[in-house]
Amino acid sequence: MTDWPPIDPTDATAVADQRDELVAAVTDHAGQIAYQLARLEGGDYGQATIETDRAEWTVKYEAGDLSYLRFDPERGNEVYVVSTQQPAEPEPLADAMADYSAFVAGFNDYVDSLDGILDDVSTDFPDVASTDSAVAERDRVLDSIHDVCDRMARELQRYEGGDYGTFTTRVAGRRWELNWDRDGVSYLRVGGENGLYLLSQYQPPSADDIRERAPDFPKFVRAYNEEIAELEESLERIEL
C-alpha cells in the first residue's frame, strides 16, 4: 500500500481565480486598444504588432473587438495573454505581464507618431467633370438604334405572324441577334450568349462598347433588308 505524504494536495483554486481576474482586466484594457486600432485602420478585422525591448506583442481584432493578445518574447515561448482558447498558465502569464506596460507605451508612441501625418494633405480637389454630354450622346445613339430595331421587330411580327421571335445574322464575324415580342424589340445582342447587349431591359452598355459596335449596326440592317428581299423573291417564284 502506498504511503502518501502527510499533507493535502495544494488547492489551485485561489491561483486560478487570481489568473482569471488578471486576464479579465487585461481583456478589458487591451480591448480598448483593439477598438482604437479598428478605428485607425478603418475596418472590422485586422491586427497590429508592437515591439518592446523584450518582445513582440500582437493585437488581433474582429468586428472591432479584441480577438487575442499574444506575447512573443525574444527568449522563451509565446504566450496568448488573451485568447478564445484555454487561458495561459500563471507563470508565463506573469512573465508577459511584466512587459505589458511597455507594450501599452509602444502602442501610445505608435499613435502619437501618426499625429499630424495628414496635415499637409490638401483637400483642394479638381472639379469633377460632368457626364451629361456623354450620356446624352449615348442615349441619342441608342434611341436611334432602338427605333430602327422596333420597326424591324414590327415587320418581323407581321411576317412571321406570332408574338415572339428572333432574327439572327452575322456581321463582321459576329453574331447579331434581334429578339422581339408583342411590344416590339426585346433586345439586340452582339456576340452570342455571352455577348454585348446593345439594347435590353436592363442597364445600357458603356460608351466605349457603343463606339465599338454601333458602326456595324448599318451592316446589320442591310443584312436584314437583304434577307427580307430574298424572301420576297422566293415567294414571287411560287406559281399557283
Side-chain angles (χ1 to χ4, degrees), residues 53-161:
D53 292 339
R54 288 187 53 205
E56 287 186 346
W57 289 78
T58 301
V59 185
K60 183 176 181 181
Y61 55 90
E62 296 185 8
D65 294 329
L66 179 65
S67 177
Y68 67 69
L69 176 64
R70 185 176 65 216
F71 171 73
D72 190 5
E74 293 182 356
R75 295 181 180 180
N77 298 324
E78 65 181 19
V79 179
Y80 282 83
V81 177
V82 177
S83 79
T84 57
Q85 308 300 320
Q86 66 184 35
E89 296 181 1
E91 186 174 353
L93 177 62
D95 182 53
M97 291 309 299
D99 196 53
Y100 184 76
S101 294
F103 155 66
V104 177
F107 171 76
N108 291 339
D109 290 342
Y110 169 66
V111 174
D112 289 341
S113 71
L114 299 177
D115 186 29
I117 195 172
L118 300 177
D119 288 352
D120 295 331
V121 178
S122 174
T123 56
D124 185 14
F125 304 131
D127 292 336
V128 177
S130 171
T131 61
D132 289 349
S133 178
V135 169
E137 284 300 300
R138 179 196 67 194
D139 293 345
R140 178 186 64 80
V141 173
L142 289 181
D143 287 346
S144 297
I145 292 175
H146 184 276
D147 289 344
V148 174
C149 288
D150 209 44
R151 292 199 300 272
M152 294 168 65
R154 300 298 182 187
E155 295 299 329
L156 288 167
Q157 186 180 34
R158 288 178 59 202
Y159 172 75
E160 297 190 7

Side-chain angles (χ1 to χ4, degrees), residues 1-237:
M1 182 175 180
T2 303
D3 293 330
W4 296 102
I7 55 175
D8 294 331
T10 302
D11 187 358
T13 301
V15 177
D17 289 345
Q18 188 178 18
R19 186 266 320 276
D20 293 344
E21 290 177 4
L22 176 60
V23 170
V26 174
T27 300
D28 181 64
H29 188 270
Q32 300 176 51
I33 294 177
Y35 171 74
Q36 297 299 332
L37 278 172
R39 291 188 62 202
L40 187 62
E41 299 295 331
D44 288 335
Y45 304 90
Q47 67 179 40
T49 298
I50 304 296
E51 294 186 2
T52 66
D53 292 339
R54 288 187 53 205
E56 287 186 346
W57 289 78
T58 301
V59 185
K60 183 176 181 181
Y61 55 90
E62 296 185 8
D65 294 329
L66 179 65
S67 177
Y68 67 69
L69 176 64
R70 185 176 65 216
F71 171 73
D72 190 5
E74 293 182 356
R75 295 181 180 180
N77 298 324
E78 65 181 19
V79 179
Y80 282 83
V81 177
V82 177
S83 79
T84 57
Q85 308 300 320
Q86 66 184 35
E89 296 181 1
E91 186 174 353
L93 177 62
D95 182 53
M97 291 309 299
D99 196 53
Y100 184 76
S101 294
F103 155 66
V104 177
F107 171 76
N108 291 339
D109 290 342
Y110 169 66
V111 174
D112 289 341
S113 71
L114 299 177
D115 186 29
I117 195 172
L118 300 177
D119 288 352
D120 295 331
V121 178
S122 174
T123 56
D124 185 14
F125 304 131
D127 292 336
V128 177
S130 171
T131 61
D132 289 349
S133 178
V135 169
E137 284 300 300
R138 179 196 67 194
D139 293 345
R140 178 186 64 80
V141 173
L142 289 181
D143 287 346
S144 297
I145 292 175
H146 184 276
D147 289 344
V148 174
C149 288
D150 209 44
R151 292 199 300 272
M152 294 168 65
R154 300 298 182 187
E155 295 299 329
L156 288 167
Q157 186 180 34
R158 288 178 59 202
Y159 172 75
E160 297 190 7
D163 290 335
Y164 306 93
T166 302
F167 170 77
T168 62
T169 188
R170 297 192 72 82
V171 175
R174 292 189 177 93
R175 176 185 172 93
W176 286 63
E177 180 177 322
L178 172 64
N179 185 273
W180 51 271
D181 56 28
R182 66 187 66 179
D183 296 323
V185 60
S186 176
Y187 67 75
L188 176 63
R189 184 172 64 195
V190 184
E193 291 186 3
N194 296 319
L196 169 72
Y197 284 84
L198 271 177
L199 299 177
S200 77
Q201 58 182 321
Y202 303 107
Q203 66 185 32
S206 69
D208 287 338
D209 287 333
I210 296 173
R211 181 174 56 186
E212 182 180 357
R213 298 288 185 263
D216 287 332
F217 181 69
K219 300 176 185 177
F220 168 68
V221 178
R222 284 194 290 270
Y224 162 82
N225 290 338
E226 290 172 0
E227 182 161 333
I228 295 300
E230 290 176 1
L231 290 172
E232 290 178 352
E233 184 180 350
S234 65
L235 288 174
E236 289 175 354
R237 290 196 297 266

